Amino acid sequence: MWKVPDHLPVRATGRRLRLLLVALCSLLLITAAACTGGSSTNGGSGNSGGGSNNGNINADTANPSTTAFRWGTRAWASSISYNPYSPTPVPEYNFSLLNLAVVSDWDRPGDNPYYPELAQSWDVGAHSITFHLQPKATWQDNTPLTSKDVVTSFRVAGIDYNSVWAAITKISAPDDHTVTVDLQSWAVPQNDLLHLLQIVIVPDKEYGQFVPSDVNRTLLAYWKDYNILKPTTASIAKASGSAAGKVMTANSGKLVKYNPKKLNGDGPYTLQSANVSGVLYKKWNGFWDAAKITAPYIQVTPMDTSTEYGAISSGNIEFESDNQFTDPQVTTLNRQGSNAHYTFLPSPVQQVGLVVNFNHYPFNLLPVRQALEYVIDRHDLVKRDAGGQIVQDPAEETPDGINYSEAKQFLTADQFAKLNHYPVDKAKATTLLQGAGFTLQKGKWMTPKGQPFSFTISEQAGIPQFDEDGLIIAGYLKQFGIDVKVEDVDPATYTTKQQAGDFAASQTWMDWGQGAPMADWAASFGQASTPAWNYPISYSGKGPCNCAIGIGPEADVPGLGHVNIASELNREANQADPSTWSKYTWAWAQWFNQNLPFLPLYNNAFHEASSQTRYTNFPPDSQKWLWTGLSGAAQPVEWMQAGYLKLK
């Protein structure tokens, strides 16, 4: 399974959370390689010629029940809004509402890692970014999409506290199809390019009402007071309590409550109906790339894991992207030949971790965390995860706080070898616990307080890989003499409770760095406010941590000295030049490797399944960027624009 995380620090903005289908904060502190936009590539295998199945199907006469591309996904709230900034936006709304470009977990081949959408191309300068808009783009009410819409969209994101505005000095529109963003001298343009590409573009005629006339001055004043490079409790409070802060609070409150009667999109599909039972999208011929859109309808249906597997294997849906099936299920699907396929793609940036809360004794003791890492057999875990050996990617080779591929890219072989790999070693675990005052009595570990060492692992219900992980980890620890129970928690409240520190131990996807490796640590330790994964930048230094971890808030980091963890990571990921990334990676990898603020288990992956009983010509797994979309346009839209997906 894959997921866009809901635990992102400072760069906060309302937008889609694909897994949970709620508004998502845009990614903080992420940098991507410098690029210049270009035209889309046609990577398809023969879906560009004539014929009724080449995007020329008339949706007005087509029957949705026989021609719709059917997508099974997780259940959503009964109350949904056509506003992408709502806490409950309509599921997969980016069939209708697009961004300037598509951002994927894996970079698109070539010089441009992003797939152009509403932006036809862009130029990245030393202190500016200029977007050249798609001249044929229009809104579905048949009015032109212009630079005014884009400028308004950027400003609306700012009102929603998107901290890309901390790096902006001015936004201008020289003409109807050009938008220029001028940046602070300290800003890394590639960072801010990514953040701007992740902003959903909305019509000025609707969302301009949430933009005050002096919005630029408001946003610049707020982030000046905030002091994003070195934020403190005082600077954040100053920003929030300022006149600018009050304006933002008032308008952002109105923004999230806005519930338009109709979704006026700019993408290839118009929204026909949406309720708790499903969402139906119809192809819109006014889309500039309509000739490539081969599916006359898209049907999105809520399903649980078992229902999705049955629907894929029987050909009742064409696609699911939410669940990891077991090895026997994967084998059965793939044996169906061309009719079904399971796609497994390791994520280059994300890992799964066991989060231990320092406010729950004895996890505040370093020897305990190290002992647990020596007892948990990560390599065995991934072989048994969800009932098999082939569907999960390798375990974390070395617990260093970032994804294995990031570590290999930014650490030398010598540095990597110097880190502690924490192989399974029960003797070392025993020595560590005994050195911390624990005793082994009748095969059970007792804490220095004379109490049995026992705890509960809280797992989010409905995620098979996590539910299975909890049971497997509990088995390792019970065998070692630690009494561990596993509970399943309602997914509707799981993340909120987790970040508020309600669980002693829990599991989730940690990090989500793209580009700058420091973003991996920042996603876990660099948030702005509570509830959070760790002490946020706004923490006053008094009282317990209202968070899921609780290491710090200050630490001695090798090569960096004594720092405030959240503030320093925030500064690095906002300001650090790419030439310094290896230095910071080595510093934080050493700190994490020694202190184990959470216990890395394995690298995450995208698990998706498709059926070709109705549609064929899916992208090959080798086209990783087409299978790992994060924002910008719905994944099947990307496929069709790139020349894939054909109705039989």
PDB file of all heavy atoms in Angstrom, residues 241-255:
ATOM      1  N   GLY A 241      -0.701  36.244  16.111  1.00  0.00           N
ATOM      2  CA  GLY A 241      -1.430  37.313  16.767  1.00  0.00           C
ATOM      3  C   GLY A 241      -1.409  38.645  16.052  1.00  0.00           C
ATOM      4  O   GLY A 241      -2.062  39.598  16.473  1.00  0.00           O
ATOM      5  N   SER A 242      -0.665  38.719  14.957  1.00  0.00           N
ATOM      6  CA  SER A 242      -0.561  39.974  14.213  1.00  0.00           C
ATOM      7  C   SER A 242      -1.828  40.265  13.434  1.00  0.00           C
ATOM      8  O   SER A 242      -2.704  39.407  13.268  1.00  0.00           O
ATOM      9  CB  SER A 242       0.622  39.910  13.246  1.00  0.00           C
ATOM     10  OG  SER A 242       0.370  38.954  12.223  1.00  0.00           O
ATOM     11  N   ALA A 243      -1.916  41.471  12.910  1.00  0.00           N
ATOM     12  CA  ALA A 243      -3.054  41.832  12.072  1.00  0.00           C
ATOM     13  C   ALA A 243      -3.132  40.913  10.862  1.00  0.00           C
ATOM     14  O   ALA A 243      -4.219  40.479  10.456  1.00  0.00           O
ATOM     15  CB  ALA A 243      -2.931  43.289  11.640  1.00  0.00           C
ATOM     16  N   ALA A 244      -1.972  40.598  10.274  1.00  0.00           N
ATOM     17  CA  ALA A 244      -1.942  39.691   9.125  1.00  0.00           C
ATOM     18  C   ALA A 244      -2.428  38.305   9.519  1.00  0.00           C
ATOM     19  O   ALA A 244      -3.173  37.652   8.779  1.00  0.00           O
ATOM     20  CB  ALA A 244      -0.522  39.619   8.555  1.00  0.00           C
ATOM     21  N   GLY A 245      -1.990  37.841  10.679  1.00  0.00           N
ATOM     22  CA  GLY A 245      -2.405  36.531  11.152  1.00  0.00           C
ATOM     23  C   GLY A 245      -3.905  36.440  11.348  1.00  0.00           C
ATOM     24  O   GLY A 245      -4.537  35.421  11.036  1.00  0.00           O
ATOM     25  N   LYS A 246      -4.500  37.504  11.850  1.00  0.00           N
ATOM     26  CA  LYS A 246      -5.945  37.521  12.064  1.00  0.00           C
ATOM     27  C   LYS A 246      -6.706  37.512  10.739  1.00  0.00           C
ATOM     28  O   LYS A 246      -7.761  36.882  10.619  1.00  0.00           O
ATOM     29  CB  LYS A 246      -6.321  38.724  12.909  1.00  0.00           C
ATOM     30  CG  LYS A 246      -5.793  38.640  14.348  1.00  0.00           C
ATOM     31  CD  LYS A 246      -6.097  39.896  15.143  1.00  0.00           C
ATOM     32  CE  LYS A 246      -5.523  39.788  16.564  1.00  0.00           C
ATOM     33  NZ  LYS A 246      -5.759  41.021  17.357  1.00  0.00           N
ATOM     34  N   VAL A 247      -6.157  38.216   9.737  1.00  0.00           N
ATOM     35  CA  VAL A 247      -6.782  38.203   8.415  1.00  0.00           C
ATOM     36  C   VAL A 247      -6.737  36.791   7.829  1.00  0.00           C
ATOM     37  O   VAL A 247      -7.727  36.305   7.254  1.00  0.00           O
ATOM     38  CB  VAL A 247      -6.073  39.202   7.474  1.00  0.00           C
ATOM     39  CG1 VAL A 247      -6.544  39.012   6.036  1.00  0.00           C
ATOM     40  CG2 VAL A 247      -6.338  40.634   7.928  1.00  0.00           C
ATOM     41  N   MET A 248      -5.592  36.125   7.975  1.00  0.00           N
ATOM     42  CA  MET A 248      -5.469  34.766   7.453  1.00  0.00           C
ATOM     43  C   MET A 248      -6.407  33.809   8.170  1.00  0.00           C
ATOM     44  O   MET A 248      -7.044  32.950   7.550  1.00  0.00           O
ATOM     45  CB  MET A 248      -4.023  34.306   7.560  1.00  0.00           C
ATOM     46  CG  MET A 248      -3.094  35.053   6.605  1.00  0.00           C
ATOM     47  SD  MET A 248      -1.353  34.656   6.833  1.00  0.00           S
ATOM     48  CE  MET A 248      -1.306  32.942   6.353  1.00  0.00           C
ATOM     49  N   THR A 249      -6.499  33.939   9.481  1.00  0.00           N
ATOM     50  CA  THR A 249      -7.388  33.068  10.248  1.00  0.00           C
ATOM     51  C   THR A 249      -8.833  33.215   9.789  1.00  0.00           C
ATOM     52  O   THR A 249      -9.546  32.228   9.572  1.00  0.00           O
ATOM     53  CB  THR A 249      -7.281  33.384  11.744  1.00  0.00           C
ATOM     54  OG1 THR A 249      -5.946  33.147  12.189  1.00  0.00           O
ATOM     55  CG2 THR A 249      -8.242  32.525  12.549  1.00  0.00           C
ATOM     56  N   ALA A 250      -9.261  34.454   9.611  1.00  0.00           N
ATOM     57  CA  ALA A 250     -10.646  34.699   9.210  1.00  0.00           C
ATOM     58  C   ALA A 250     -10.942  34.140   7.825  1.00  0.00           C
ATOM     59  O   ALA A 250     -11.966  33.478   7.610  1.00  0.00           O
ATOM     60  CB  ALA A 250     -10.932  36.202   9.247  1.00  0.00           C
ATOM     61  N   ASN A 251     -10.058  34.389   6.879  1.00  0.00           N
ATOM     62  CA  ASN A 251     -10.305  33.954   5.499  1.00  0.00           C
ATOM     63  C   ASN A 251     -10.099  32.461   5.314  1.00  0.00           C
ATOM     64  O   ASN A 251     -10.810  31.827   4.525  1.00  0.00           O
ATOM     65  CB  ASN A 251      -9.425  34.752   4.541  1.00  0.00           C
ATOM     66  CG  ASN A 251      -9.939  36.162   4.323  1.00  0.00           C
ATOM     67  OD1 ASN A 251     -10.843  36.401   3.535  1.00  0.00           O
ATOM     68  ND2 ASN A 251      -9.376  37.114   5.055  1.00  0.00           N
ATOM     69  N   SER A 252      -9.122  31.866   6.009  1.00  0.00           N
ATOM     70  CA  SER A 252      -8.920  30.422   5.886  1.00  0.00           C
ATOM     71  C   SER A 252     -10.105  29.668   6.471  1.00  0.00           C
ATOM     72  O   SER A 252     -10.500  28.611   5.962  1.00  0.00           O
ATOM     73  CB  SER A 252      -7.629  30.002   6.587  1.00  0.00           C
ATOM     74  OG  SER A 252      -7.690  30.246   7.989  1.00  0.00           O
ATOM     75  N   GLY A 253     -10.708  30.230   7.546  1.00  0.00           N
ATOM     76  CA  GLY A 253     -11.889  29.606   8.115  1.00  0.00           C
ATOM     77  C   GLY A 253     -13.049  29.586   7.140  1.00  0.00           C
ATOM     78  O   GLY A 253     -13.781  28.591   7.022  1.00  0.00           O
ATOM     79  N   LYS A 254     -13.232  30.685   6.416  1.00  0.00           N
ATOM     80  CA  LYS A 254     -14.283  30.748   5.400  1.00  0.00           C
ATOM     81  C   LYS A 254     -13.969  29.815   4.229  1.00  0.00           C
ATOM     82  O   LYS A 254     -14.866  29.191   3.658  1.00  0.00           O
ATOM     83  CB  LYS A 254     -14.425  32.177   4.889  1.00  0.00           C
ATOM     84  CG  LYS A 254     -14.900  33.179   5.941  1.00  0.00           C
ATOM     85  CD  LYS A 254     -14.914  34.593   5.369  1.00  0.00           C
ATOM     86  CE  LYS A 254     -15.305  35.622   6.420  1.00  0.00           C
ATOM     87  NZ  LYS A 254     -15.249  37.015   5.889  1.00  0.00           N
ATOM     88  N   LEU A 255     -12.687  29.718   3.876  1.00  0.00           N
ATOM     89  CA  LEU A 255     -12.271  28.891   2.744  1.00  0.00           C
ATOM     90  C   LEU A 255     -12.627  27.426   2.956  1.00  0.00           C
ATOM     91  O   LEU A 255     -13.206  26.785   2.071  1.00  0.00           O
ATOM     92  CB  LEU A 255     -10.768  29.048   2.517  1.00  0.00           C
ATOM     93  CG  LEU A 255     -10.113  28.108   1.509  1.00  0.00           C
ATOM     94  CD1 LEU A 255     -10.679  28.351   0.107  1.00  0.00           C
ATOM     95  CD2 LEU A 255      -8.595  28.292   1.510  1.00  0.00           C
TER      96      LEU A 255
END
